[in-house]
Amino acid sequence: MLPNRFKMLTVLMAALIAGQVSAAGGGAGDMKQPKEVGKVLRKHQRYSEEEIKNERARLAAVGERVNQIFTLLGGETALQKGQAGTALAAYMLMLERTKSPEVAERALEMAVSLNAFEQAEMIYQKWRQIEPIPCEAQKRAGWLWNVLREGGNQHLDGLEEVLAQSDDMQKRRIFLLLAQAAVQQDGLAQKASKAVRHTALEYGHMPEAAVADAVFSLQVREKDKAIAALQRLSKLDAEILPPTFIALRLTARQYPEILDGFFQQTDTRNLSSAWQEMEIMNLVSLRRPDDAYKRLKVLLETNPNADLYIQAAILAANRKEDISVIDGYVEKAYGRGMEEQRSRVALTAAMMYADRRDYTKVRQWLKKVSAPEYLFDKGVSAVVATLELDGAKAALRQIREVRKLPEQQGRYFMADNLSKVQLFALSKLPDAREALRGLDKIIEKPPAGSNTELQAEALVQRSVVYDRLGKRKKMISDLERAFRLAPDNAQIMNNLGYSLLSDSKRLDEGFALLQTAYQINPDDIAVNDSIGWAYYLKGDAESALPYLWYSFENDPGPEVAAHLGEVLWALGERDLAVDVWTQAVHLTGDKKIWRETLKRYGITLPELSRKPRK
């Protein structure tokens, strides 16, 4: 969600630009001239006073039209960038200025697509005031509004008539809005799926109609009809446009078995690489990575393109294949790609190496990112590498440079991601007092446009600094405050829950938080370590073991090794406990808890020459 103040600032900037254009278009004609100069000009000019007046009026109208175009263009640009609130505000502003039915229709469509029903009602009532005798556009918009609002026309009475009176662009929008409504309104698909399917087949040349058919069929679990609609869609939209992608993402998330049925019944070798990628992604969502990997290899034999090699590299990394296998896929993807693909390959490789904590390789791959659409992503990734290799001060300096980029949004990272990296870097400053000053400033006076999530993250990072200083009460206080700001954030639940485990009076409270965090994110390494440790502290070492093994196998660190070793020791597996503790000698990370554990158990580890555990 974009910050409210930033939204308002954007609207004001759009209005300011429009105002400047208007002044440039019509202001010159209103300037007063000296009387003598005016007489000479009138004496020699070819136009009458009436013609001059009309020309000034025409120029003023042109200026006003340019004003409107710039404001509406600003709204559409904001919508494309994901700044939905800004876009809607721009259209509502223009409706007030122009009283235009076209602007009203677009504003109403935008409002309902954003679930801004209160604003939609305001727009519709304003339109009715502007145009008491409704035109076709108002009738069409009124019909849509009646369908999309809660408790409205769920049988879609009049759908064929509305479509018949609409042009192609309006038909496409209607189908997409109906698809959205089917997801948001309980019961709509059950009552209207037949009507939508009938009309969707009538407009079989439109991908949007197939999208609506697929979504309505999915919602009522009509598998065969949904698969048929997806097959039509795959022929109509080879490259997967945004509406198609959203429909497929919905299918993969809620009905992956139906999407799997579509791919089983469809020869994807004849489809574009975009659809082939979607097949692989669906297999992954079904938790069938081995099947995905196997299918991907078959597709690569017939269609060895860059996009599929990128997928292969990501899958190989998730399967923890040898780095040489991953490198092989990445190099093939880079060698076959165009500029955009090469940049995407390089950025993907950088992120995979970051996951392996090989930040030297991260930098090497980031140097190959050149496509403009990935420059912000490159900047954020470079800051993370700098933080790990050169320290927090260098990272903070680099953040200032990234903020100078013309685009503060990439394909993978947003401005909020950069702000979170900044908070993390502040918490890592060697001088704890300097770290607190930087974080205090952000918490006490949040930057213009910041949201509660960012403020909660600032509190989390300050709690880390308080932990370094041994100020436990302040650490807990910050985490509790962060939890109030972001009560659904699993990371904050984990941090607070784990911190409460050391207080016997709040052990159960901490355990409850960790259980909720685990339900939200059961694959998170830190959450598994925390809940495993909580079980152990509650006297249940056997229940603790699988959680801690999961954390240690997926991302071994000194603290996880300390916890796992202690649980193994308690279960009588002392040799295995010592082996786990020994492996932590070579692991990177904070070893304070590990050292304390070894000291408590009287374990002295010999100097080892064996390589660290992978």
Side-chain angles (χ1 to χ4, degrees), residues 283-296:
L283 287 170
V284 172
S285 71
L286 287 167
R287 297 186 180 276
R288 291 163 52 190
D290 292 340
D291 290 342
Y293 201 46
K294 182 179 177 180
R295 180 61 180 154
L296 192 52

Side-chain angles (χ1 to χ4, degrees), residues 193-206:
S193 60
K194 289 183 180 179
V196 170
R197 179 168 179 76
H198 176 73
T199 52
L201 291 174
E202 283 187 23
Y203 297 95
H205 64 288
M206 291 185 176

Side-chain angles (χ1 to χ4, degrees), residues 8 18 38 102 131 202 252 291 325 407 430 462 524 567 570 573 577:
M8 289 303 299
E102 292 82 2
E131 204 172 38
E202 283 187 23
D291 290 342
V325 175
E407 288 292 334
R462 191 170 70 176
D524 187 87
V567 170
E573 299 284 350

Side-chain angles (χ1 to χ4, degrees), residues 572-584:
E573 299 284 350
R574 296 194 173 187
D575 290 342
L576 188 53
V578 173
D579 181 61
V580 168
W581 285 332
T582 301
Q583 291 179 47

Side-chain angles (χ1 to χ4, degrees), residues 300-563:
L300 282 170
E301 289 176 3
T302 57
N303 186 18
N305 67 69
D307 290 328
L308 290 179
Y309 274 120
I310 293 172
Q311 287 278 9
I314 294 170
L315 265 178
N318 289 338
R319 287 162 49 88
K320 301 192 181 301
E321 296 273 356
D322 188 87
I323 192 64
S324 62
V325 175
I326 300 169
D327 280 341
Y329 286 131
V330 169
E331 292 292 349
K332 287 176 181 177
Y334 190 79
R336 285 170 169 78
M338 305 298 285
E339 182 188 7
E340 185 277 335
Q341 288 174 313
R342 286 188 168 196
S343 290
R344 179 151 48 94
V345 170
L347 193 60
T348 301
M351 289 191 285
M352 286 192 292
Y353 276 109
D355 190 53
R356 289 173 174 262
R357 297 189 176 92
D358 188 345
Y359 292 100
T360 301
K361 278 288 187 70
V362 171
R363 279 183 168 170
Q364 290 173 5
W365 276 105
L366 288 177
K367 288 179 181 178
K368 299 181 180 182
V369 178
S370 59
E373 57 264 45
Y374 294 108
L375 292 183
F376 183 76
D377 297 314
K378 176 181 179 178
V380 175
S381 301
V383 169
V384 174
T386 298
L387 179 61
E388 295 293 332
L389 293 174
D390 305 322
K393 284 185 175 291
L396 290 169
R397 287 195 296 270
Q398 193 166 8
I399 286 171
R400 289 194 287 270
E401 294 304 310
V402 176
R403 292 198 189 280
K404 295 178 184 177
L405 290 173
E407 288 292 334
Q408 290 295 297
Q409 175 180 324
R411 294 285 183 88
Y412 299 95
F413 300 116
M414 307 287 284
D416 278 359
N417 297 118
L418 183 61
S419 296
K420 288 179 180 179
V421 175
Q422 179 186 9
L423 295 172
F424 186 72
L426 284 169
S427 73
K428 294 296 182 184
L429 284 169
D431 186 343
R433 290 173 299 180
E434 184 182 359
L436 286 176
R437 283 196 298 271
L439 291 165
D440 288 347
K441 184 177 179 181
I442 293 172
I443 293 167
E444 292 167 7
K445 190 177 180 182
S450 63
N451 54 23
T452 54
E453 183 183 349
L454 200 62
Q455 191 176 6
E457 183 64 28
L459 288 162
V460 169
Q461 296 305 328
R462 191 170 70 176
S463 76
V464 172
V465 182
Y466 281 139
D467 186 37
R468 274 167 51 192
L469 295 172
K471 297 184 177 182
R472 177 177 165 75
K473 286 185 178 180
K474 289 189 174 183
M475 176 190 73
I476 297 291
S477 176
D478 269 359
L479 288 174
E480 288 174 330
R481 186 176 165 191
F483 180 56
R484 288 193 295 272
L485 288 171
D488 298 323
N489 187 303
Q491 177 209 351
I492 294 174
M493 287 182 198
N494 174 68
N495 289 11
L496 178 56
Y498 181 73
S499 300
L500 294 177
L501 296 181
S502 58
D503 184 345
S504 59
K505 294 180 180 179
R506 303 188 70 179
L507 176 60
D508 289 339
E509 183 184 350
F511 183 60
L513 282 169
L514 294 172
Q515 286 179 308
T516 305
Y518 182 79
Q519 290 171 2
I520 295 172
N521 198 352
D523 297 327
D524 187 87
I525 307 300
V527 171
N528 275 271
D529 173 56
S530 298
I531 199 168
W533 189 239
Y535 272 114
Y536 173 68
L537 293 178
K538 289 174 70 67
D540 190 352
E542 288 187 0
S543 294
L545 193 59
Y547 296 101
L548 294 170
W549 266 125
Y550 175 86
S551 293
F552 189 70
E553 289 290 338
N554 285 279
D555 191 14
E559 187 170 350
V560 177
H563 291 160

Side-chain angles (χ1 to χ4, degrees), residues 98-400:
T98 65
K99 311 294 190 291
S100 163
E102 292 82 2
V103 173
E105 183 173 18
R106 180 66 178 133
L108 184 61
E109 287 178 354
M110 196 177 291
V112 295
S113 70
L114 298 172
N115 295 329
F117 295 119
E118 184 178 344
Q119 288 87 340
E121 180 65 25
M122 289 169 55
I123 293 166
Y124 185 57
Q125 295 303 329
K126 183 72 175 177
W127 192 357
R128 294 187 65 180
Q129 291 175 13
I130 294 170
E131 204 172 38
I133 301 175
C135 63
E136 291 303 323
Q138 190 185 124
K139 291 177 183 177
R140 179 173 55 250
W143 182 89
L144 264 177
W145 175 227
N146 192 27
V147 170
L148 298 171
R149 64 187 177 87
E150 189 175 350
N153 176 16
Q154 289 198 322
H155 291 284
L156 303 189
D157 300 325
L159 173 59
E160 291 188 14
E161 181 183 353
V162 167
L163 289 171
Q165 295 173 353
S166 306
D167 60 28
D168 276 1
M169 183 60 71
Q170 290 159 350
K171 289 184 178 77
R172 293 173 191 274
R173 287 178 178 173
I174 288 169
F175 278 121
L176 291 180
L177 286 169
L178 289 177
Q180 178 181 323
V183 176
Q184 294 169 343
Q185 289 189 35
D186 292 335
L188 176 61
Q190 285 78 6
K191 294 176 182 177
S193 60
K194 289 183 180 179
V196 170
R197 179 168 179 76
H198 176 73
T199 52
L201 291 174
E202 283 187 23
Y203 297 95
H205 64 288
M206 291 185 176
E208 294 82 358
V211 166
D213 189 5
V215 171
F216 272 79
S217 298
L218 287 167
Q219 293 297 99
V220 294
R221 301 296 185 96
E222 293 182 339
K223 181 178 178 179
D224 292 341
K225 292 178 180 177
I227 290 174
L230 289 171
Q231 288 175 331
R232 292 202 313 277
L233 184 57
S234 67
K235 296 174 183 177
L236 292 167
D237 184 5
E239 297 306 317
I240 304 187
L241 294 169
T244 301
F245 179 74
I246 292 170
L248 291 173
R249 187 172 62 179
L250 167 72
T251 310
R253 183 180 301 168
Q254 296 187 7
Y255 314 103
E257 72 284 355
I258 294 180
L259 195 56
D260 190 44
F262 158 73
F263 284 118
Q264 288 180 9
Q265 297 180 31
T266 307
D267 187 355
T268 54
R269 290 175 300 178
N270 297 322
L271 298 181
S272 68
S273 60
W275 282 90
Q276 292 172 350
E277 286 183 72
M278 183 60 69
E279 178 183 8
I280 303 305
M281 290 169 62
N282 192 58
L283 287 170
V284 172
S285 71
L286 287 167
R287 297 186 180 276
R288 291 163 52 190
D290 292 340
D291 290 342
Y293 201 46
K294 182 179 177 180
R295 180 61 180 154
L296 192 52
K297 287 183 176 180
V298 172
L299 291 172
L300 282 170
E301 289 176 3
T302 57
N303 186 18
N305 67 69
D307 290 328
L308 290 179
Y309 274 120
I310 293 172
Q311 287 278 9
I314 294 170
L315 265 178
N318 289 338
R319 287 162 49 88
K320 301 192 181 301
E321 296 273 356
D322 188 87
I323 192 64
S324 62
V325 175
I326 300 169
D327 280 341
Y329 286 131
V330 169
E331 292 292 349
K332 287 176 181 177
Y334 190 79
R336 285 170 169 78
M338 305 298 285
E339 182 188 7
E340 185 277 335
Q341 288 174 313
R342 286 188 168 196
S343 290
R344 179 151 48 94
V345 170
L347 193 60
T348 301
M351 289 191 285
M352 286 192 292
Y353 276 109
D355 190 53
R356 289 173 174 262
R357 297 189 176 92
D358 188 345
Y359 292 100
T360 301
K361 278 288 187 70
V362 171
R363 279 183 168 170
Q364 290 173 5
W365 276 105
L366 288 177
K367 288 179 181 178
K368 299 181 180 182
V369 178
S370 59
E373 57 264 45
Y374 294 108
L375 292 183
F376 183 76
D377 297 314
K378 176 181 179 178
V380 175
S381 301
V383 169
V384 174
T386 298
L387 179 61
E388 295 293 332
L389 293 174
D390 305 322
K393 284 185 175 291
L396 290 169
R397 287 195 296 270
Q398 193 166 8
I399 286 171
R400 289 194 287 270

Side-chain angles (χ1 to χ4, degrees), residues 7-23 62-80 83-100 103 106-107 110:
K7 291 180 187 177
M8 289 303 299
L9 182 60
T10 306
V11 174
L12 289 172
M13 286 300 293
L16 177 60
I17 293 171
Q20 290 172 341
V21 172
S22 177
V62 170
E64 180 59 25
R65 183 61 178 163
V66 172
N67 179 344
Q68 295 168 10
I69 290 171
F70 266 80
T71 304
L72 294 175
L73 180 61
E76 292 295 335
T77 303
L79 188 64
Q80 291 296 320
Q83 300 167 4
T86 299
L88 180 56
Y91 267 88
M92 291 180 73
L93 174 66
M94 287 310 301
L95 178 58
E96 285 289 335
R97 289 183 181 176
T98 65
K99 311 294 190 291
S100 163
V103 173
R106 180 66 178 133
M110 196 177 291

